[in-house]
Amino acid sequence: MVAEIRVDEALVEEYQRNGAVLVKGVFDNKLVEKVRRGIDKNLKTPSKYGESLKARDGEGAYFDDYCNWQRIQEFREYVFESPAASLAAQFMRSKEVSFYHEHVLNKEPGTSKKTPWHHDQAYYPIDGHQVCSLWMPVDPIPKETCVKFVAGSHLWPKWFHPKKFASENNYPLRSDEVKDGGCSRTYHDVPDLEIESGKWPILQWECEPGDVIVFHMRSVHGAEGNRSSVNHRRVLSTRWLGDDAVLASRPWEVSPPITGGLQLGQRVVCDTFPLVYRRN
Ligand SMILES: O=C(O)CCC(=O)C(=O)O
């Protein structure tokens, strides 16, 4: 059973306003240790989706993989027993919460490969506003290595093309979408240069194991590599969907490439995306 946790309403307001918020010390050491074990299993046995990226030969790798919760017990316990789903419900102001997937990210010591600026929701076949991720580090993260967010960007009217992390190129359009003239929504290039020029305020924090960053799936975010010569930067980022999340179409192959057999417009709750939490 999901553990309940009460969140300070001021933090919920901050999330709703900024699209990202740091919540200090929500997970105990036992849970952090469990998730660390799960991540280490995942690193040793990547799935077909796993990739290890390097900006240059001979340096640390940026590993990422996802959708392993069904085979990694520690992740299942985190999803179905920890306070994560209760947290997600309160931040999204949702009555129910389903689990979309988990994402493991590890930047080895001496990794210069960055996380490009992007927002997540365009990668996913999901429309709706009650959609968030919980970014949970299991290593201490100095501020300069932490994921960073463009404050308030989750409320921008624009949607952005997803980018391949490996090449940092936009996702190619599906051939049937090119033929049909694409989907009805216009997707823009992420305004990297304007973000880097300081046009908008950036949110970034120092984090400890036990902390979590809650962010909206349309919050534009990115991160530097890991300059430490000794410390890994291991993170479990879990994706959660609330009452208004429905299956949508995208003009590229969605990532992860799964839709759980749902029809467009259907609420995203099924065996593949299980309902984890319902507020009493
Ligand atoms: O940790 C990072 O560098 C990137 C995280 C990210 O993009 C995500 O969790 O959606």
Side-chain angles (χ1 to χ4, degrees), residues 91-109:
F91 280 100
M92 295 190 292
R93 295 193 171 134
S94 183
K95 203 165 164 1
E96 294 187 333
V97 176
S98 59
F99 180 62
Y100 184 37
H101 64 278
E102 93 298 337
H103 206 141
V104 163
L105 306 134
N106 179 38
K107 290 179 182 162
E108 291 177 345

Side-chain angles (χ1 to χ4, degrees), residues 9-17 87-97 130 242-244 279:
E9 183 55 26
L11 289 175
V12 177
E13 290 288 342
E14 195 178 323
Y15 164 82
Q16 294 282 339
R17 190 173 58 251
L87 265 182
Q90 289 169 76
F91 280 100
M92 295 190 292
R93 295 193 171 134
S94 183
K95 203 165 164 1
E96 294 187 333
V97 176
Q130 289 163 302
D243 300 335
D244 75 351
R279 199 175 56 218

Side-chain angles (χ1 to χ4, degrees), residues 209-259:
D211 299 347
V212 71
I213 295 176
V214 185
F215 65 96
H216 192 281
M217 286 185 186
R218 281 186 59 212
S219 182
V220 175
H221 58 285
E224 298 300 315
N226 177 16
R227 284 204 209 107
S228 168
S229 56
V230 286
N231 298 323
H232 283 253
R233 175 196 183 273
R234 290 168 294 180
V235 172
L236 181 71
S237 205
T238 47
R239 323 294 185 189
W240 303 88
L241 304 174
D243 300 335
D244 75 351
V246 292
L247 197 80
S249 134
R250 299 282 180 258
W252 37 76
E253 186 184 17
V254 291
S255 167
I258 47 174
T259 53

Side-chain angles (χ1 to χ4, degrees), residues 27-40:
F27 298 135
D28 62 23
N29 288 339
K30 218 168 129 203
L31 184 62
V32 171
E33 187 45 47
K34 181 183 289 185
V35 169
R36 197 180 282 131
R37 277 200 310 276
I39 293 178
D40 289 345

